[in-house]
């Protein structure tokens, strides 16, 4: 009888924890989407001009296949620069080892597309979205900028910007559809839940916080 009671209590506790987890995940997802309303743009013509565009890094290839997430971000960065919507690009990504360098790869491809050398700035410690967004402020002294990435990623980046008192907007580039898009969307729900926990419970900070490297000549207006 005692064992049966313990098993029943354990099942009830597990059910409650599962329900709370689902509620937290759903609430985080919805809240982050609503928080970004009115600050995500898809039309170059109506996007407000800002001095800096923050391009969030990802791998150029998935296996031996070109990564569309990367390609769309590079194409958008080029389009916004040539349209005069941004004057500088901060390329933030992972540089885990010498043979994997997201910022350098982005720079090489953007230089080939006609972006001036002096307009490109690299953040080699953008290991996560949190690191990229917060380091733009704490390391590169940027109080406001335009994020360049996919819609779902825009919304999470803007949430992290708000938590850290950064004035950000986002230009949303296309997202792959089909099964690949579905998998990414499912992972995004987990990422958003983690972003909420990191911001309000765990107080997670970027892995590397310095030294400061302000971008010369920027007024942040």
């Amino acid at each position: 009888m005692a064992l049966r009671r313990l098993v029943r209590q354990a099942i009830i506790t597990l059910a409650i924890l599962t329900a709370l987890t689902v509620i937290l995940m759903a609430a985080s997802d919805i809240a982050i989407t609503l928080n970004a309303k009115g600050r995500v743009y898809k039309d170059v013509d109506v996007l407000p001009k800002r001095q800096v565009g923050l391009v969030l890094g990802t791998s150029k290839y998935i296996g031996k296949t070109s990564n569309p997430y990367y390609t769309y971000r590079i194409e958008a960065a080029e389009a916004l620069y040539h349209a005069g919507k941004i004057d500088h690009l901060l390329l933030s990504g992972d540089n885990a080892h010498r043979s994997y360098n997201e910022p350098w790869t982005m720079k090489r491809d953007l230089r080939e597309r006609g972006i001036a050398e002096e307009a490109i700035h690299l953040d080699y410690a953008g290991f996560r979205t949190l690191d990229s967004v917060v380091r733009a402020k704490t390391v590169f002294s940027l109080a406001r900028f335009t994020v360049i990435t996919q819609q779902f990623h825009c919304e999470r980046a803007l949430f992290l910007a708000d938590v850290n008192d950064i004035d950000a907007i986002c230009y949303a580039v296309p997202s792959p559809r089909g099964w690949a898009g579905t998998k990414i969307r499912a992972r995004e729900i987990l990422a958003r839940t983690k972003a909420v926990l990191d911001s309000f419970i765990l107080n997670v900070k970027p892995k590397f916080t310095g030294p400061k490297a302000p971008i010369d000549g920027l007024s942040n207006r």
Side-chain angles (χ1 to χ4, degrees), residues 8-50:
R8 185 169 56 207
Q9 289 176 344
I11 292 174
I12 292 172
T13 300
L14 180 60
I16 292 172
L17 291 174
T18 300
L20 290 175
T21 299
V22 170
I23 291 170
L24 173 62
M25 292 171 64
S28 298
D29 187 39
I30 294 170
I32 286 177
T33 295
L34 293 176
N35 177 70
K37 189 174 181 180
R39 293 183 292 151
V40 178
Y41 299 82
K42 295 183 179 180
D43 187 339
V44 174
D45 292 334
V46 300
L47 177 73
K49 175 179 172 58
R50 295 207 167 176

mmCIF file of all heavy atoms in Angstrom, residues 8-50:
data_model
loop_
_atom_site.group_PDB
_atom_site.id
_atom_site.type_symbol
_atom_site.label_atom_id
_atom_site.label_comp_id
_atom_site.label_asym_id
_atom_site.label_seq_id
_atom_site.Cartn_x
_atom_site.Cartn_y
_atom_site.Cartn_z
ATOM 1 N N ARG A 8 1.936 6.594 -6.916
ATOM 2 C CA ARG A 8 0.877 7.508 -7.345
ATOM 3 C C ARG A 8 1.301 8.958 -7.150
ATOM 4 O O ARG A 8 1.077 9.808 -8.015
ATOM 5 C CB ARG A 8 -0.402 7.227 -6.552
ATOM 6 C CG ARG A 8 -1.594 8.074 -7.024
ATOM 7 C CD ARG A 8 -2.860 7.565 -6.405
ATOM 8 N NE ARG A 8 -2.738 7.553 -4.959
ATOM 9 C CZ ARG A 8 -3.414 6.709 -4.152
ATOM 10 N NH1 ARG A 8 -4.216 5.810 -4.674
ATOM 11 N NH2 ARG A 8 -3.253 6.777 -2.853
ATOM 12 N N GLN A 9 1.948 9.242 -6.029
ATOM 13 C CA GLN A 9 2.406 10.606 -5.768
ATOM 14 C C GLN A 9 3.477 11.022 -6.774
ATOM 15 O O GLN A 9 3.515 12.175 -7.229
ATOM 16 C CB GLN A 9 2.945 10.707 -4.343
ATOM 17 C CG GLN A 9 1.862 10.628 -3.261
ATOM 18 C CD GLN A 9 2.446 10.628 -1.867
ATOM 19 O OE1 GLN A 9 3.647 10.401 -1.677
ATOM 20 N NE2 GLN A 9 1.607 10.870 -0.871
ATOM 21 N N ALA A 10 4.348 10.068 -7.109
ATOM 22 C CA ALA A 10 5.391 10.356 -8.084
ATOM 23 C C ALA A 10 4.789 10.657 -9.449
ATOM 24 O O ALA A 10 5.237 11.578 -10.153
ATOM 25 C CB ALA A 10 6.354 9.177 -8.180
ATOM 26 N N ILE A 11 3.779 9.915 -9.837
ATOM 27 C CA ILE A 11 3.120 10.132 -11.130
ATOM 28 C C ILE A 11 2.432 11.490 -11.153
ATOM 29 O O ILE A 11 2.522 12.231 -12.138
ATOM 30 C CB ILE A 11 2.108 9.003 -11.410
ATOM 31 C CG1 ILE A 11 2.841 7.676 -11.637
ATOM 32 C CG2 ILE A 11 1.238 9.350 -12.623
ATOM 33 C CD1 ILE A 11 1.926 6.483 -11.766
ATOM 34 N N ILE A 12 1.770 11.835 -10.060
ATOM 35 C CA ILE A 12 1.092 13.131 -9.978
ATOM 36 C C ILE A 12 2.102 14.273 -10.056
ATOM 37 O O ILE A 12 1.903 15.263 -10.765
ATOM 38 C CB ILE A 12 0.266 13.224 -8.679
ATOM 39 C CG1 ILE A 12 -0.904 12.253 -8.741
ATOM 40 C CG2 ILE A 12 -0.243 14.657 -8.463
ATOM 41 C CD1 ILE A 12 -1.662 12.129 -7.429
ATOM 42 N N THR A 13 3.201 14.124 -9.319
ATOM 43 C CA THR A 13 4.245 15.157 -9.338
ATOM 44 C C THR A 13 4.834 15.320 -10.729
ATOM 45 O O THR A 13 5.037 16.444 -11.208
ATOM 46 C CB THR A 13 5.362 14.784 -8.345
ATOM 47 O OG1 THR A 13 4.820 14.691 -7.023
ATOM 48 C CG2 THR A 13 6.467 15.844 -8.371
ATOM 49 N N LEU A 14 5.089 14.192 -11.396
ATOM 50 C CA LEU A 14 5.640 14.237 -12.750
ATOM 51 C C LEU A 14 4.660 14.913 -13.708
ATOM 52 O O LEU A 14 5.070 15.710 -14.565
ATOM 53 C CB LEU A 14 5.952 12.818 -13.224
ATOM 54 C CG LEU A 14 6.534 12.701 -14.647
ATOM 55 C CD1 LEU A 14 7.852 13.463 -14.742
ATOM 56 C CD2 LEU A 14 6.736 11.229 -15.011
ATOM 57 N N ALA A 15 3.389 14.602 -13.551
ATOM 58 C CA ALA A 15 2.365 15.200 -14.420
ATOM 59 C C ALA A 15 2.300 16.714 -14.221
ATOM 60 O O ALA A 15 2.180 17.478 -15.180
ATOM 61 C CB ALA A 15 1.007 14.569 -14.139
ATOM 62 N N ILE A 16 2.394 17.147 -12.962
ATOM 63 C CA ILE A 16 2.356 18.581 -12.662
ATOM 64 C C ILE A 16 3.569 19.281 -13.248
ATOM 65 O O ILE A 16 3.463 20.339 -13.875
ATOM 66 C CB ILE A 16 2.277 18.813 -11.139
ATOM 67 C CG1 ILE A 16 0.923 18.343 -10.605
ATOM 68 C CG2 ILE A 16 2.489 20.292 -10.813
ATOM 69 C CD1 ILE A 16 0.829 18.359 -9.090
ATOM 70 N N LEU A 17 4.751 18.692 -13.075
ATOM 71 C CA LEU A 17 5.975 19.283 -13.612
ATOM 72 C C LEU A 17 5.935 19.350 -15.136
ATOM 73 O O LEU A 17 6.372 20.334 -15.743
ATOM 74 C CB LEU A 17 7.194 18.477 -13.152
ATOM 75 C CG LEU A 17 7.539 18.564 -11.662
ATOM 76 C CD1 LEU A 17 8.679 17.613 -11.321
ATOM 77 C CD2 LEU A 17 7.895 19.988 -11.273
ATOM 78 N N THR A 18 5.402 18.289 -15.747
ATOM 79 C CA THR A 18 5.286 18.272 -17.206
ATOM 80 C C THR A 18 4.357 19.383 -17.686
ATOM 81 O O THR A 18 4.658 20.098 -18.646
ATOM 82 C CB THR A 18 4.765 16.914 -17.693
ATOM 83 O OG1 THR A 18 5.675 15.881 -17.287
ATOM 84 C CG2 THR A 18 4.626 16.893 -19.206
ATOM 85 N N ALA A 19 3.223 19.531 -16.992
ATOM 86 C CA ALA A 19 2.258 20.572 -17.358
ATOM 87 C C ALA A 19 2.874 21.961 -17.210
ATOM 88 O O ALA A 19 2.692 22.832 -18.073
ATOM 89 C CB ALA A 19 1.006 20.440 -16.508
ATOM 90 N N LEU A 20 3.604 22.176 -16.123
ATOM 91 C CA LEU A 20 4.238 23.476 -15.902
ATOM 92 C C LEU A 20 5.291 23.766 -16.966
ATOM 93 O O LEU A 20 5.436 24.907 -17.425
ATOM 94 C CB LEU A 20 4.871 23.514 -14.510
ATOM 95 C CG LEU A 20 3.891 23.541 -13.328
ATOM 96 C CD1 LEU A 20 4.656 23.441 -12.011
ATOM 97 C CD2 LEU A 20 3.051 24.813 -13.360
ATOM 98 N N THR A 21 6.019 22.729 -17.373
ATOM 99 C CA THR A 21 7.034 22.904 -18.408
ATOM 100 C C THR A 21 6.393 23.288 -19.736
ATOM 101 O O THR A 21 6.871 24.192 -20.430
ATOM 102 C CB THR A 21 7.844 21.606 -18.585
ATOM 103 O OG1 THR A 21 8.501 21.284 -17.347
ATOM 104 C CG2 THR A 21 8.880 21.761 -19.683
ATOM 105 N N VAL A 22 5.309 22.610 -20.068
ATOM 106 C CA VAL A 22 4.606 22.916 -21.320
ATOM 107 C C VAL A 22 4.069 24.341 -21.293
ATOM 108 O O VAL A 22 4.156 25.080 -22.277
ATOM 109 C CB VAL A 22 3.474 21.903 -21.558
ATOM 110 C CG1 VAL A 22 2.592 22.343 -22.719
ATOM 111 C CG2 VAL A 22 4.035 20.514 -21.819
ATOM 112 N N ILE A 23 3.512 24.735 -20.145
ATOM 113 C CA ILE A 23 2.982 26.101 -20.008
ATOM 114 C C ILE A 23 4.092 27.132 -20.157
ATOM 115 O O ILE A 23 3.941 28.146 -20.836
ATOM 116 C CB ILE A 23 2.264 26.264 -18.648
ATOM 117 C CG1 ILE A 23 0.988 25.433 -18.630
ATOM 118 C CG2 ILE A 23 1.961 27.739 -18.365
ATOM 119 C CD1 ILE A 23 0.334 25.339 -17.268
ATOM 120 N N LEU A 24 5.241 26.871 -19.513
ATOM 121 C CA LEU A 24 6.382 27.785 -19.616
ATOM 122 C C LEU A 24 6.852 27.909 -21.057
ATOM 123 O O LEU A 24 7.121 29.012 -21.545
ATOM 124 C CB LEU A 24 7.528 27.285 -18.734
ATOM 125 C CG LEU A 24 8.852 28.056 -18.860
ATOM 126 C CD1 LEU A 24 8.675 29.518 -18.447
ATOM 127 C CD2 LEU A 24 9.941 27.392 -18.022
ATOM 128 N N MET A 25 6.935 26.787 -21.754
ATOM 129 C CA MET A 25 7.400 26.805 -23.139
ATOM 130 C C MET A 25 6.426 27.569 -24.035
ATOM 131 O O MET A 25 6.842 28.394 -24.857
ATOM 132 C CB MET A 25 7.586 25.374 -23.646
ATOM 133 C CG MET A 25 8.730 24.631 -22.972
ATOM 134 S SD MET A 25 8.788 22.863 -23.383
ATOM 135 C CE MET A 25 9.109 22.928 -25.130
ATOM 136 N N ALA A 26 5.141 27.309 -23.868
ATOM 137 C CA ALA A 26 4.136 27.990 -24.687
ATOM 138 C C ALA A 26 4.104 29.481 -24.381
ATOM 139 O O ALA A 26 4.024 30.316 -25.291
ATOM 140 C CB ALA A 26 2.761 27.370 -24.445
ATOM 141 N N ALA A 27 4.172 29.824 -23.094
ATOM 142 C CA ALA A 27 4.141 31.233 -22.700
ATOM 143 C C ALA A 27 5.369 31.974 -23.220
ATOM 144 O O ALA A 27 5.266 33.112 -23.693
ATOM 145 C CB ALA A 27 4.060 31.348 -21.181
ATOM 146 N N SER A 28 6.530 31.349 -23.139
ATOM 147 C CA SER A 28 7.764 31.972 -23.632
ATOM 148 C C SER A 28 7.677 32.217 -25.131
ATOM 149 O O SER A 28 8.038 33.295 -25.629
ATOM 150 C CB SER A 28 8.972 31.081 -23.321
ATOM 151 O OG SER A 28 9.133 30.899 -21.936
ATOM 152 N N ASP A 29 7.199 31.228 -25.854
ATOM 153 C CA ASP A 29 7.086 31.340 -27.304
ATOM 154 C C ASP A 29 6.144 32.472 -27.707
ATOM 155 O O ASP A 29 6.485 33.318 -28.530
ATOM 156 C CB ASP A 29 6.582 30.010 -27.863
ATOM 157 C CG ASP A 29 6.592 29.977 -29.381
ATOM 158 O OD1 ASP A 29 7.538 30.513 -29.986
ATOM 159 O OD2 ASP A 29 5.644 29.422 -29.974
ATOM 160 N N ILE A 30 4.981 32.507 -27.100
ATOM 161 C CA ILE A 30 3.980 33.522 -27.447
ATOM 162 C C ILE A 30 4.450 34.918 -27.043
ATOM 163 O O ILE A 30 4.334 35.883 -27.804
ATOM 164 C CB ILE A 30 2.630 33.186 -26.783
ATOM 165 C CG1 ILE A 30 2.068 31.901 -27.385
ATOM 166 C CG2 ILE A 30 1.638 34.339 -26.960
ATOM 167 C CD1 ILE A 30 0.867 31.348 -26.638
ATOM 168 N N ALA A 31 4.992 35.029 -25.832
ATOM 169 C CA ALA A 31 5.421 36.335 -25.326
ATOM 170 C C ALA A 31 6.533 36.931 -26.190
ATOM 171 O O ALA A 31 6.531 38.131 -26.489
ATOM 172 C CB ALA A 31 5.888 36.208 -23.883
ATOM 173 N N ILE A 32 7.483 36.109 -26.610
ATOM 174 C CA ILE A 32 8.596 36.604 -27.422
ATOM 175 C C ILE A 32 8.108 37.033 -28.802
ATOM 176 O O ILE A 32 8.583 38.032 -29.364
ATOM 177 C CB ILE A 32 9.710 35.544 -27.502
ATOM 178 C CG1 ILE A 32 10.447 35.495 -26.153
ATOM 179 C CG2 ILE A 32 10.677 35.825 -28.635
ATOM 180 C CD1 ILE A 32 11.524 34.439 -26.054
ATOM 181 N N THR A 33 7.140 36.320 -29.345
ATOM 182 C CA THR A 33 6.561 36.717 -30.629
ATOM 183 C C THR A 33 5.845 38.063 -30.507
ATOM 184 O O THR A 33 6.046 38.974 -31.322
ATOM 185 C CB THR A 33 5.570 35.652 -31.130
ATOM 186 O OG1 THR A 33 6.284 34.436 -31.397
ATOM 187 C CG2 THR A 33 4.883 36.108 -32.411
ATOM 188 N N LEU A 34 5.007 38.203 -29.483
ATOM 189 C CA LEU A 34 4.243 39.438 -29.300
ATOM 190 C C LEU A 34 5.156 40.621 -28.988
ATOM 191 O O LEU A 34 4.902 41.754 -29.414
ATOM 192 C CB LEU A 34 3.214 39.255 -28.181
ATOM 193 C CG LEU A 34 2.084 38.262 -28.468
ATOM 194 C CD1 LEU A 34 1.190 38.104 -27.242
ATOM 195 C CD2 LEU A 34 1.266 38.696 -29.671
ATOM 196 N N ASN A 35 6.218 40.359 -28.252
ATOM 197 C CA ASN A 35 7.147 41.432 -27.867
ATOM 198 C C ASN A 35 7.786 42.096 -29.080
ATOM 199 O O ASN A 35 8.110 43.295 -29.052
ATOM 200 C CB ASN A 35 8.234 40.855 -26.961
ATOM 201 C CG ASN A 35 9.274 41.881 -26.564
ATOM 202 O OD1 ASN A 35 8.997 42.795 -25.804
ATOM 203 N ND2 ASN A 35 10.486 41.737 -27.085
ATOM 204 N N ALA A 36 7.983 41.330 -30.155
ATOM 205 C CA ALA A 36 8.673 41.852 -31.343
ATOM 206 C C ALA A 36 7.730 42.549 -32.320
ATOM 207 O O ALA A 36 8.184 43.113 -33.322
ATOM 208 C CB ALA A 36 9.387 40.710 -32.061
ATOM 209 N N LYS A 37 6.449 42.544 -32.031
ATOM 210 C CA LYS A 37 5.464 43.084 -32.974
ATOM 211 C C LYS A 37 5.782 44.539 -33.322
ATOM 212 O O LYS A 37 6.042 45.367 -32.464
ATOM 213 C CB LYS A 37 4.063 42.997 -32.371
ATOM 214 C CG LYS A 37 2.950 43.322 -33.355
ATOM 215 C CD LYS A 37 1.586 43.070 -32.748
ATOM 216 C CE LYS A 37 0.481 43.366 -33.757
ATOM 217 N NZ LYS A 37 -0.872 43.124 -33.168
ATOM 218 N N GLY A 38 5.772 44.836 -34.621
ATOM 219 C CA GLY A 38 6.010 46.186 -35.092
ATOM 220 C C GLY A 38 7.470 46.556 -35.256
ATOM 221 O O GLY A 38 7.783 47.655 -35.716
ATOM 222 N N ARG A 39 8.375 45.645 -34.931
ATOM 223 C CA ARG A 39 9.808 45.946 -35.022
ATOM 224 C C ARG A 39 10.560 44.992 -35.938
ATOM 225 O O ARG A 39 11.777 45.026 -36.016
ATOM 226 C CB ARG A 39 10.435 45.940 -33.628
ATOM 227 C CG ARG A 39 9.933 47.072 -32.740
ATOM 228 C CD ARG A 39 10.640 47.074 -31.403
ATOM 229 N NE ARG A 39 10.286 45.915 -30.607
ATOM 230 C CZ ARG A 39 11.077 45.352 -29.699
ATOM 231 N NH1 ARG A 39 12.291 45.829 -29.501
ATOM 232 N NH2 ARG A 39 10.662 44.319 -28.993
ATOM 233 N N VAL A 40 9.807 44.126 -36.621
ATOM 234 C CA VAL A 40 10.404 43.205 -37.587
ATOM 235 C C VAL A 40 9.942 43.612 -38.981
ATOM 236 O O VAL A 40 8.745 43.716 -39.237
ATOM 237 C CB VAL A 40 9.996 41.746 -37.292
ATOM 238 C CG1 VAL A 40 10.601 40.808 -38.340
ATOM 239 C CG2 VAL A 40 10.446 41.328 -35.896
ATOM 240 N N TYR A 41 10.900 43.858 -39.872
ATOM 241 C CA TYR A 41 10.603 44.363 -41.213
ATOM 242 C C TYR A 41 11.027 43.349 -42.272
ATOM 243 O O TYR A 41 12.018 42.642 -42.111
ATOM 244 C CB TYR A 41 11.347 45.677 -41.460
ATOM 245 C CG TYR A 41 10.958 46.787 -40.508
ATOM 246 C CD1 TYR A 41 11.530 46.870 -39.235
ATOM 247 C CD2 TYR A 41 10.014 47.743 -40.871
ATOM 248 C CE1 TYR A 41 11.174 47.882 -38.358
ATOM 249 C CE2 TYR A 41 9.656 48.765 -40.002
ATOM 250 C CZ TYR A 41 10.238 48.826 -38.746
ATOM 251 O OH TYR A 41 9.875 49.824 -37.882
ATOM 252 N N LYS A 42 10.261 43.322 -43.359
ATOM 253 C CA LYS A 42 10.598 42.447 -44.480
ATOM 254 C C LYS A 42 10.754 43.227 -45.782
ATOM 255 O O LYS A 42 11.168 42.659 -46.788
ATOM 256 C CB LYS A 42 9.522 41.368 -44.646
ATOM 257 C CG LYS A 42 9.429 40.401 -43.462
ATOM 258 C CD LYS A 42 8.408 39.318 -43.710
ATOM 259 C CE LYS A 42 8.354 38.344 -42.535
ATOM 260 N NZ LYS A 42 7.346 37.264 -42.744
ATOM 261 N N ASP A 43 10.411 44.497 -45.746
ATOM 262 C CA ASP A 43 10.488 45.357 -46.920
ATOM 263 C C ASP A 43 11.639 46.344 -46.742
ATOM 264 O O ASP A 43 11.639 47.142 -45.801
ATOM 265 C CB ASP A 43 9.161 46.106 -47.094
ATOM 266 C CG ASP A 43 9.092 46.899 -48.386
ATOM 267 O OD1 ASP A 43 10.155 47.219 -48.962
ATOM 268 O OD2 ASP A 43 7.968 47.223 -48.815
ATOM 269 N N VAL A 44 12.607 46.289 -47.636
ATOM 270 C CA VAL A 44 13.767 47.179 -47.543
ATOM 271 C C VAL A 44 13.342 48.637 -47.554
ATOM 272 O O VAL A 44 13.894 49.474 -46.827
ATOM 273 C CB VAL A 44 14.753 46.905 -48.702
ATOM 274 C CG1 VAL A 44 15.891 47.921 -48.689
ATOM 275 C CG2 VAL A 44 15.301 45.499 -48.605
ATOM 276 N N ASP A 45 12.346 48.969 -48.356
ATOM 277 C CA ASP A 45 11.942 50.366 -48.526
ATOM 278 C C ASP A 45 11.399 50.990 -47.244
ATOM 279 O O ASP A 45 11.563 52.187 -47.021
ATOM 280 C CB ASP A 45 10.887 50.479 -49.630
ATOM 281 C CG ASP A 45 11.461 50.158 -51.002
ATOM 282 O OD1 ASP A 45 12.679 50.338 -51.184
ATOM 283 O OD2 ASP A 45 10.696 49.712 -51.882
ATOM 284 N N VAL A 46 10.742 50.203 -46.394
ATOM 285 C CA VAL A 46 10.136 50.765 -45.178
ATOM 286 C C VAL A 46 11.012 50.552 -43.942
ATOM 287 O O VAL A 46 10.690 51.056 -42.862
ATOM 288 C CB VAL A 46 8.731 50.170 -44.921
ATOM 289 C CG1 VAL A 46 7.812 50.463 -46.080
ATOM 290 C CG2 VAL A 46 8.803 48.673 -44.665
ATOM 291 N N LEU A 47 12.094 49.837 -44.095
ATOM 292 C CA LEU A 47 13.003 49.623 -42.964
ATOM 293 C C LEU A 47 13.674 50.933 -42.582
ATOM 294 O O LEU A 47 14.287 51.591 -43.419
ATOM 295 C CB LEU A 47 14.080 48.597 -43.344
ATOM 296 C CG LEU A 47 15.153 48.312 -42.281
ATOM 297 C CD1 LEU A 47 14.567 47.492 -41.145
ATOM 298 C CD2 LEU A 47 16.345 47.590 -42.906
ATOM 299 N N PRO A 48 13.579 51.361 -41.318
ATOM 300 C CA PRO A 48 14.267 52.595 -40.895
ATOM 301 C C PRO A 48 15.785 52.451 -41.041
ATOM 302 O O PRO A 48 16.338 51.372 -40.856
ATOM 303 C CB PRO A 48 13.874 52.725 -39.416
ATOM 304 C CG PRO A 48 12.615 51.933 -39.280
ATOM 305 C CD PRO A 48 12.765 50.785 -40.229
ATOM 306 N N LYS A 49 16.433 53.550 -41.385
ATOM 307 C CA LYS A 49 17.888 53.526 -41.509
ATOM 308 C C LYS A 49 18.542 53.528 -40.138
ATOM 309 O O LYS A 49 18.143 54.275 -39.244
ATOM 310 C CB LYS A 49 18.371 54.748 -42.297
ATOM 311 C CG LYS A 49 19.902 54.850 -42.370
ATOM 312 C CD LYS A 49 20.345 56.050 -43.164
ATOM 313 C CE LYS A 49 21.858 56.263 -43.071
ATOM 314 N NZ LYS A 49 22.644 55.112 -43.531
ATOM 315 N N ARG A 50 19.535 52.698 -39.968
ATOM 316 C CA ARG A 50 20.372 52.698 -38.776
ATOM 317 C C ARG A 50 21.819 52.512 -39.214
ATOM 318 O O ARG A 50 22.084 51.935 -40.265
ATOM 319 C CB ARG A 50 19.947 51.614 -37.799
ATOM 320 C CG ARG A 50 18.548 51.874 -37.240
ATOM 321 C CD ARG A 50 18.337 51.277 -35.900
ATOM 322 N NE ARG A 50 17.122 51.802 -35.283
ATOM 323 C CZ ARG A 50 16.638 51.400 -34.130
ATOM 324 N NH1 ARG A 50 17.261 50.448 -33.435
ATOM 325 N NH2 ARG A 50 15.534 51.935 -33.635
#
